[in-house]
Amino acid sequence: MRFLILTLSLVSCALAHGQNGLRVVLAGDSTVATVAQTKKDRPDLAGWGQMLPEFMPQATIINHAKGGASSKSFRSAGYWDKVIAEKPDYVLIQFGHNDQPGKGERRATDPKGDYRDNLRQFISEVRAVGGKPVLVTSVVRRVFENGKLVDTLQPYAEATKAVGAETGVPVIDLHHRSKLFAIQMGEKFGLRYAPSETDRTHFNKEGARMIARMVAEGLVREVPEIREHVQLLPPPPKGLPYQVKLETVTSGYDGKTCWVHARAGAIPGPTPTVVMTMQKLLLTGSDIFFALNDVRTDDLGKTWSKITQHDETLGRRNKPDDIIVAACDFTPKWHAKTGKLLGTGHTVHYQNDKVMHDQRRSSTYAVYDEKARTWSSWATLDMPDEAKFFNSGAGCVQRYDLENGDILLPVYFKGKGDKYYSVTVLRCSFDGKTLKYLGQGNDLKLESGRGVYEPSLTRYQGKFYLTLRNDTAAYVATSDDGLNFGPIQPWQFEDGSELGNYNTQQHWISHNKGLYLVYNRKGLNNDHIVRHRAPLVMAQVNPETLKVMRATERILVPERGVRLGNFAITEVSENETWVTVAEWMQNMSPNYIVTPDNAFGADNSVFAARILWKN
C-alpha cells in the first residue's frame, strides 16, 4: 500500500507539473529585459529574455530583468523579491554590465568580491524555495577599436563561472559564445543586430533573438533535464509522408582544411551499400580542393569505414608551368544498366593556390570497383569541338539515367571570354567503363549575373524537371523528353512570393509520395550565413504549377553558424532517401575562416539526413 500511495503521489506531481507548465524566471539587466514601451531613438530595442519564449514555447517565461540593474541594485530595488515570489522551477541569472566600475556606488561591484557574494546569495535563496538556479555570463558588448573587439566584461564572466563551479550550479557561458560570434562577424555586421547606430550594448529584435538562441542552446548543453522543454527548431509540418533521422558521418576540424562536397551513391542489395565521396578544402583560398576521398557504410549508417584518400586515381595532376588540375564537385550515382557506381564532376585548374579561370574546364567521371573498394582514374568526357564548350562541366549536378542505360547529364558551359553560363542536358552512353557524348538538348540562357549553372535533373510521373542556379534567384524548367526544355521561370512559393534561394544549388527528390525540392533560402533567421546557405530545407513541389508548397517545408539539417551548400541526394531504396552535406567552414568577411572554437559549435560535421518514407 505504501508503494501505491508513493506512486500515485508521483503521478499527481507529474500531472500538476504538466498542467501548470515549467516556470522559468529571468533576473538580469536591460540586455535580458522585455521592452514594454518602444523608445523613439531605438524603436526595435529588445532583450534576449523577450525572445526566449520562441525557444521554450511550452514553458512559462517570467521576465523580471530590469534596465540599469546590477547584482546589487536588483536586490535593493526589490526586484529580487518578485523573482522568489514566483515559486520558480528555474531562475536564469545574468548580471555584470551595470556592476562595472563607474556605475556608481549603488550599482558597482567587485568581480572578485561582492559580485560573487551576490551571486551566491541568489543561488542560496532560489534553492531555498525549491527552484534551480542557472547562471548566465554577461553578453558581450560589441565595441571595437582598430578592428578588434574590446572586452571589459571578462572579469565578471570569470567570476560567474567560478561561483558556478564552487556551488555546483550550471553556467551558460553566453559571454564566450557572444564574443566569438561578434569577432567572427565583425563590427560592421554587428550593427545589423543593434537598435541604433551608436548602441553597442543592446539589441534589436533580430539580435535579441540570436542571443536568446545562444541561451537556449546553452540550456540544452548545461541543463540536461530541461532539454525536452527547449525547441531549437520549428516543428515539422503535420502529415508529412516521411520522417527524418539526422546522423553525423564524421566530425572534427583543425582550422586549416575542411571536408566539402559530401555526396553519396547507393549500391543496391538486401541492405544497400552507400559510398560517399568528399574532398578537403584549403581554407585560406577560394575553392582550392585536394584529392577525392571516400567512406562507406554497409549497414545504413550504423558504422562507417575509415576515410580513404584516392591520390593515385582521384587526386590532383601536375601540368607544365606549375599548373595543377583536380577533379571536384563530384557526385556518385548507381548506373543500373551496367551495375556500376559512376561518379561525375568537373575539372578545376590551379596555379599558386588560385583558381585559373582561363583554362579549359571539362566534365570528369570515374567508376567504383566495389570488390577492390577503389576507383578508376578520373577521365574527362570528350565533347564536340565547339567554342561554346570551352568552359563546360557537370560539377554539382544531379543526373538522370534512362531505362536503356543512356544518361541525361546536365552541364553548364560558356565560351572562352564569355560572360554568361548557359545550361544544356547531354545524352551520353556508358558501357561500364567509358562515358561518351551522344548529343545535347536545347541551350537555356539567362543574361543576369553569371547566367545559369549547376543544373539538376529529375523525372516525375513521366515529365522531366530541371532546376538551375543563378546569382540572384533560382530557376526551373520542364521537358517531355529530358533534353529540350521550355522557358525557365523563377522559383516561387504558392502565394507568388519568391523562394529566396540564390547563388547556390538546389536538388530534387522524386518519390511516389511526391516531387520535392531540397534547398537553402533567406528568411530563416539566417542573415549571418553567407548567401543564406543554411539551414538545408525540403518542401514539396506542385508539379503542375511549379510552385513550392510552403506549408510542407521542413528543416533537414540545421545551421550552426556555417553554410550547408554543395549537398546531394542519394536514392538508397524505395523506403529511404538520403541528403548528404558537410559544414563548409568559411563564412563572410572580415574573418573568412571559421575558427574551431566558434559560437554555435560547428566542427565540419558531415551529415546524412535519412528521409524514411512512411508506408
Side-chain angles (χ1 to χ4, degrees):
M1 179 64 75
R2 183 177 180 184
F3 173 78
L4 177 61
I5 292 173
L6 176 61
T7 303
L8 290 174
S9 298
L10 290 172
V11 171
S12 298
C13 290
L15 288 173
H17 184 268
Q19 291 168 355
N20 296 331
L22 188 76
R23 292 173 65 81
V24 179
V25 182
L26 310 181
D29 52 40
S30 57
T31 62
V32 186
T34 298
V35 179
Q37 290 184 320
T38 58
K39 302 180 184 298
K40 290 183 179 181
D41 62 332
R42 294 173 295 173
D44 202 25
L45 180 67
W48 63 255
Q50 184 174 340
M51 312 305 289
L52 190 60
E54 179 179 337
F55 300 96
M56 303 184 74
Q58 303 304 317
T60 300
I61 308 294
I62 304 166
N63 194 354
H64 281 300
K66 296 295 178 181
S70 71
S71 66
K72 181 193 291 186
S73 67
F74 194 79
R75 179 182 295 278
S76 62
Y79 302 136
W80 180 252
D81 292 339
K82 294 180 181 179
V83 170
I84 295 301
E86 296 288 356
K87 298 181 179 179
D89 294 309
Y90 290 87
V91 179
L92 274 58
I93 304 166
Q94 182 214 281
F95 291 102
H97 283 82
N98 299 305
D99 287 78
Q100 291 186 288
K103 292 294 184 178
E105 186 177 348
R106 186 177 63 88
R107 295 191 293 175
T109 63
D110 180 356
K112 294 183 178 180
D114 52 346
Y115 178 72
R116 300 187 184 209
D117 293 336
N118 294 340
L119 295 183
R120 293 187 187 101
Q121 191 170 355
F122 289 149
I123 291 167
S124 177
E125 293 175 12
V126 170
R127 285 172 167 169
V129 296
K132 296 182 180 180
V134 178
L135 297 178
V136 183
T137 59
S138 314
V139 64
V140 76
R141 285 193 175 97
R142 304 175 307 284
V143 177
F144 287 79
E145 290 183 5
N146 299 319
K148 293 187 177 181
L149 185 77
V150 178
D151 184 7
T152 59
L153 286 161
Q154 188 68 37
Y156 293 88
E158 294 300 327
T160 303
K161 290 187 287 184
V163 171
E166 169 194 320
T167 58
V169 169
V171 178
I172 297 172
D173 197 355
L174 180 60
H175 182 78
H176 181 63
R177 295 279 172 168
S178 60
K179 180 178 179 179
L180 289 173
F181 185 67
I183 292 172
Q184 182 70 52
M185 304 309 297
E187 181 176 13
K188 184 176 179 180
F189 184 90
L191 293 174
R192 185 190 299 262
Y193 290 155
S196 71
E197 291 186 4
T198 58
D199 191 333
R200 305 302 175 92
T201 298
H202 304 95
F203 298 93
N204 58 22
K205 288 182 179 178
E206 184 182 1
R209 184 195 180 279
M210 181 63 73
I211 302 305
R213 169 187 165 179
M214 294 181 189
V215 173
E217 291 179 350
L219 285 171
V220 170
R221 283 193 307 273
E222 308 298 340
V223 193
E225 63 271 23
I226 211 173
R227 288 177 183 172
E228 64 184 76
H229 300 279
V230 179
Q231 181 179 290
L232 296 176
L233 301 175
K238 295 181 179 179
L240 294 179
Y242 62 88
Q243 59 184 5
V244 177
K245 186 176 182 182
L246 182 62
E247 297 183 350
T248 302
V249 177
T250 184
S251 62
Y253 174 53
D254 63 5
K256 298 177 182 178
T257 63
C258 73
W259 292 116
V260 294
H261 303 159
R263 300 185 176 99
I267 301 172
T271 300
T273 291
V274 178
V275 180
M276 181 188 297
T277 57
M278 52 192 183
Q279 56 198 143
K280 286 284 191 177
L281 167 80
L282 180 65
L283 291 169
T284 54
S286 177
D287 291 339
I288 307 299
F289 306 119
F290 295 96
L292 282 156
N293 296 242
D294 69 14
V295 61
R296 168 175 168 153
T297 178
D298 297 308
D299 53 15
L300 295 178
K302 292 179 182 177
T303 60
W304 289 86
S305 68
K306 69 175 184 178
I307 299 172
T308 302
Q309 184 166 308
H310 297 278
D311 277 313
E312 291 188 7
T313 55
L314 301 180
R316 292 173 155 198
R317 298 175 185 174
N318 295 318
K319 298 180 68 176
D321 301 321
D322 295 323
I323 295 174
I324 293 172
V325 61
C328 65
D329 292 313
F330 191 81
T331 304
K333 181 180 171 68
W334 180 250
H335 187 256
K337 188 71 174 179
T338 59
K340 295 290 186 179
L341 188 65
L342 169 67
T344 54
H346 62 184
T347 57
V348 60
H349 290 76
Y350 304 119
Q351 193 174 55
N352 299 321
D353 280 339
K354 291 184 179 179
V355 175
M356 302 179 69
H357 297 286
D358 61 349
Q359 298 291 304
R360 181 178 294 275
R361 181 173 62 94
S362 304
S363 295
T364 60
Y365 65 94
V367 184
Y368 184 68
D369 185 326
E370 183 181 0
K371 292 183 179 179
R373 299 194 178 193
T374 59
W375 291 83
S376 65
S377 294
W378 64 260
T380 56
L381 174 66
D382 290 333
M383 293 288 289
D385 187 17
E386 297 182 34
K388 69 177 184 179
F389 289 132
F390 176 80
N391 186 335
S392 170
C396 301
V397 310
Q398 185 176 7
R399 77 175 200 250
Y400 186 85
D401 298 349
L402 297 173
E403 290 80 359
N404 69 354
D406 283 359
I407 292 172
L408 298 182
L409 182 66
V411 297
Y412 62 102
F413 62 91
K414 66 179 179 178
K416 190 172 185 179
D418 288 350
K419 181 177 180 180
Y420 302 110
Y421 284 113
S422 299
V423 162
T424 192
V425 176
L426 308 181
R427 187 165 188 144
C428 300
S429 65
F430 178 62
D431 61 5
K433 293 183 178 179
T434 305
L435 186 67
K436 291 184 178 180
Y437 170 94
L438 299 177
Q440 70 156 104
N442 62 326
D443 294 349
L444 299 175
K445 300 176 179 293
L446 181 68
E447 293 186 356
S448 169
R450 289 173 286 175
V452 284
Y453 48 109
E454 292 183 351
S456 285
L457 178 66
T458 195
R459 190 179 189 182
Y460 179 71
Q461 295 183 346
K463 197 169 188 176
F464 291 91
Y465 297 82
L466 188 70
T467 183
L468 310 95
R469 171 180 171 180
N470 171 258
D471 290 352
T472 58
Y475 288 81
V476 61
T478 62
S479 168
D480 291 327
D481 62 5
L483 291 168
N484 299 289
F485 285 81
I488 64 173
Q489 65 184 61
W491 274 111
Q492 295 179 333
F493 285 112
E494 286 188 305
D495 62 3
S497 61
E498 66 175 21
L499 180 63
N501 174 282
Y502 68 98
N503 208 3
T504 191
Q505 53 204 250
Q506 324 87 43
H507 298 304
W508 300 101
I509 293 177
S510 182
H511 193 269
N512 59 25
K513 300 290 186 181
L515 179 64
Y516 295 84
L517 190 71
V518 181
Y519 54 96
N520 314 115
R521 71 172 178 88
K522 56 187 174 183
L524 295 172
N525 299 301
N526 55 348
D527 287 348
H528 59 294
I529 304 295
V530 63
R531 297 174 181 171
H532 298 90
R533 287 187 178 180
L536 201 57
V537 299
M538 169 178 173
Q540 191 169 358
V541 174
N542 184 322
E544 300 300 324
T545 64
L546 300 181
K547 307 286 188 182
V548 175
M549 302 162 64
R550 190 194 294 266
T552 68
E553 184 181 79
R554 68 152 296 161
I555 292 175
L556 294 178
V557 185
E559 60 91 357
R560 299 196 297 177
V562 295
R563 56 177 132 163
L564 296 168
N566 294 74
F567 61 98
I569 312 299
T570 307
E571 299 165 356
V572 177
S573 69
E574 291 183 358
N575 301 317
E576 191 162 339
T577 304
W578 289 15
V579 178
T580 54
V581 67
E583 290 183 313
W584 191 300
M585 303 301 289
Q586 293 172 323
N587 207 356
M588 57 188 72
S589 61
N591 299 308
Y592 192 55
I593 300 173
V594 178
T595 58
D597 186 14
N598 56 79
F600 300 106
D603 59 1
N604 191 213
S605 285
V606 175
F607 294 111
R610 298 175 58 195
I611 299 166
L612 309 176
W613 300 98
K614 299 176 181 177
N615 294 326

